[in-house]
Amino acid sequence: MSQKFTGTERYVATEDLMMAVNAAVTLARPLLVKGEPGTGKTQLAEEVAAALDKPLHRWHVKSTTKAQHGLYEYDAVSRLRDSQLGDAKVHDIGNYIVKGRLWEAFDSDRQAVLLIDEIDKADIEFPNDLLLELDRMEFFVHETRELVQARHRPVVVITSNNEKELPDAFLRRCFFHFIRFPDAETMTRIVAVHFPDLKRELLSEALTAFYKLRDVPGLKKKPSTSELLDWLKLLLAEDVPPEA
């Protein structure tokens, strides 16, 4: 029986999140995770890899990232330089093919977890350009006329901060989950993982102030889970009493 994701000692996963991860693994479909910044989307992939004992390949997307970067890049500049120096390795173009994160995950000896982080930062065509590769789990290297096929279909976790809408064709191929912001009970469990010896009075006062701040009308950027943890770390470092 395949191992199920149930969270880890460092990561508190809700029931619906555990169900989403395990459903995506069972269906062999990419898991698209959305949610406001600081809700643990990126860390989810890291914890899934740790919990299921699988290697992790991280592909952090930027505004300039193209889908091709995840497959491979041809280093023509290095080849030109080596040809000028008379290096014999220029005769094998394969020496100048640089593997991308997707290729690394495909080439893994055992099933890997591939994180495609903040996919919404890239150009709108980026998700569509990955459709074929994520469907067929293969791609063609034109320079070497090589067909690269995944040894084991990786567990693909894709995160989005919802900065822009993703194409419908891409969404249909993913198993979608929205990470809701933790309620007070879940947040208490999250804090306990990071600060197991935190005094109950300090936690209660901090959470009250934290959720009041999130409820301030018109606040464009609401404080996140990670910011709460940083705040508590500072309070403990300064030994601030709860009543302060």
Side-chain angles (χ1 to χ4, degrees):
M1 187 179 219
S2 60
Q3 190 176 358
K4 297 289 186 181
F5 176 69
T6 57
T8 68
E9 292 181 357
R10 303 185 307 164
Y11 191 90
V12 176
T14 57
E15 289 290 336
D16 56 344
L17 179 57
M18 288 187 282
M19 183 191 72
V21 171
N22 293 318
V25 172
T26 300
L27 296 172
R29 291 171 64 182
L31 174 63
L32 174 60
V33 184
K34 288 188 178 184
E36 64 180 82
T39 49
K41 300 184 298 297
T42 299
Q43 189 183 355
L44 173 63
E46 298 169 357
E47 299 305 324
V48 167
L52 303 183
D53 189 27
K54 299 180 186 297
L56 174 65
H57 298 271
R58 301 176 179 88
W59 184 9
H60 297 293
V61 176
K62 300 178 182 180
S63 60
T64 55
T65 302
K66 303 298 181 185
Q68 182 65 34
H69 296 157
L71 308 181
Y72 70 93
E73 292 184 75
Y74 169 48
D75 191 354
V77 174
S78 293
R79 192 181 188 206
L80 176 60
R81 184 188 62 237
D82 289 344
S83 67
Q84 293 171 338
L85 296 173
D87 196 320
K89 74 176 187 178
V90 298
H91 300 297
D92 182 1
I93 198 172
N95 291 323
Y96 303 94
I97 300 296
V98 182
K99 293 181 180 180
R101 297 303 186 195
L102 198 65
W103 189 340
E104 290 176 352
F106 281 9
D107 214 24
S108 178
D109 291 333
R110 54 197 181 97
Q111 187 183 41
V113 173
L114 172 64
L115 167 64
I116 304 177
D117 199 25
E118 297 189 331
I119 194 171
D120 53 325
K121 278 189 175 180
D123 184 85
I124 190 63
E125 292 304 319
F126 178 89
N128 280 337
D129 290 342
L130 283 178
L131 287 180
L132 189 62
E133 288 75 16
L134 292 179
D135 265 352
R136 296 187 180 179
M137 286 289 148
E138 65 181 30
F139 62 89
F140 191 71
V141 182
H142 297 280
E143 289 79 1
T144 60
R145 297 192 170 279
E146 173 188 6
L147 179 65
V148 176
Q149 295 177 306
R151 296 187 184 184
H152 308 280
R153 189 179 190 97
V155 176
V156 181
V157 178
I158 304 170
T159 73
S160 170
N161 287 327
N162 223 14
E163 291 183 8
K164 64 169 67 82
E165 290 298 320
L166 299 173
D168 289 342
F170 180 79
L171 294 174
R172 283 196 297 270
R173 287 165 169 81
C174 297
F175 192 94
F176 173 74
H177 180 74
F178 185 87
I179 296 183
R180 297 191 302 271
F181 195 83
D183 57 22
E185 181 182 347
T186 304
M187 189 66 81
T188 300
R189 292 166 55 204
I190 292 173
V191 171
V193 168
H194 296 270
F195 305 105
D197 300 321
L198 186 66
K199 293 179 180 179
R200 187 174 301 176
E201 296 83 2
L202 179 57
L203 174 60
S204 176
E205 292 294 334
L207 286 182
T208 299
F210 176 74
Y211 281 104
K212 278 184 178 179
L213 184 57
R214 282 186 58 85
D215 288 338
V216 172
L219 196 65
K220 288 186 177 180
K221 183 186 181 302
K222 296 183 178 183
S224 66
T225 304
S226 58
E227 288 170 323
L228 171 64
L229 296 176
D230 286 343
W231 182 35
L232 288 170
K233 188 174 182 179
L234 286 173
L235 291 176
L236 290 173
E238 297 296 332
D239 197 22
V240 177
E243 58 272 16

